[in-house]
């Protein structure tokens, strides 16, 4: 899961890396964006402007998904393996680190 907010400049800067990483692991790992902390039209604009429209995104308008993963800032990632084990990372990772983490999930 990729947690982002529509007004977050770091999230916007990380969008290309997330899209590239998702493409690198396509068919092995699913990347889902979890949009929060903003209005839906702004979230839609972010997806349109950032080129992340090929990813699945969900709107967490009440913050329940963010809370359930104890995410308190953005960008953040929740890496979930097939057994349901979750590892949350708060901050930017970049394409190489994302691909590395996603490949580890695919191999688990």
């Amino acid at each position: 899961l990729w947690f982002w907010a529509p007004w977050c400049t770091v999230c916007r800067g990380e969008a290309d890396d997330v899209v590239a990483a998702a493409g690198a692991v396509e068919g092995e790992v699913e990347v889902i964006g979890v949009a929060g902390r903003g209005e839906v039209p702004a979230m839609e604009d972010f997806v349109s402007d950032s080129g992340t429209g090929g990813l699945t995104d969900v709107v967490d308008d009440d913050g329940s998904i963010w809370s359930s993963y104890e995410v308190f800032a953005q960008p953040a990632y929740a890496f979930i393996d097939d057994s349901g084990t979750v590892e949350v990372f708060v901050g930017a990772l970049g394409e190489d680190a994302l691909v590395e983490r996603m490949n580890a999930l695919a191999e688990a």
Side-chain angles (χ1 to χ4, degrees):
L1 304 174
W2 171 42
F3 294 88
W4 59 269
W7 45 264
C8 173
T9 57
V10 176
C11 301
R12 190 170 295 277
E14 186 109 312
D16 286 343
D17 291 336
V18 173
V19 170
V25 297
E26 189 172 357
E28 298 177 54
V29 175
E30 183 176 5
V31 177
I32 299 172
V34 184
R37 299 186 175 182
E39 300 297 321
V40 171
M43 294 175 188
E44 291 169 344
D45 288 345
F46 178 96
V47 169
S48 176
D49 297 343
S50 66
T52 57
L55 301 176
T56 299
D57 283 291
V58 297
V59 173
D60 187 21
D61 55 358
D62 66 359
S64 61
I65 301 171
W66 285 48
S67 292
S68 69
Y69 287 94
E70 299 180 3
V71 171
F72 55 87
Q74 69 289 323
Y77 300 88
F79 299 97
I80 308 166
D81 69 17
D82 287 341
S83 71
T85 300
V86 178
E87 181 182 352
V88 174
F89 177 87
V90 177
L93 282 172
E95 181 182 351
D96 292 341
L98 283 168
V99 170
E100 183 179 320
R101 299 290 280 275
M102 292 177 188
N103 280 330
L105 288 175
E107 296 168 1

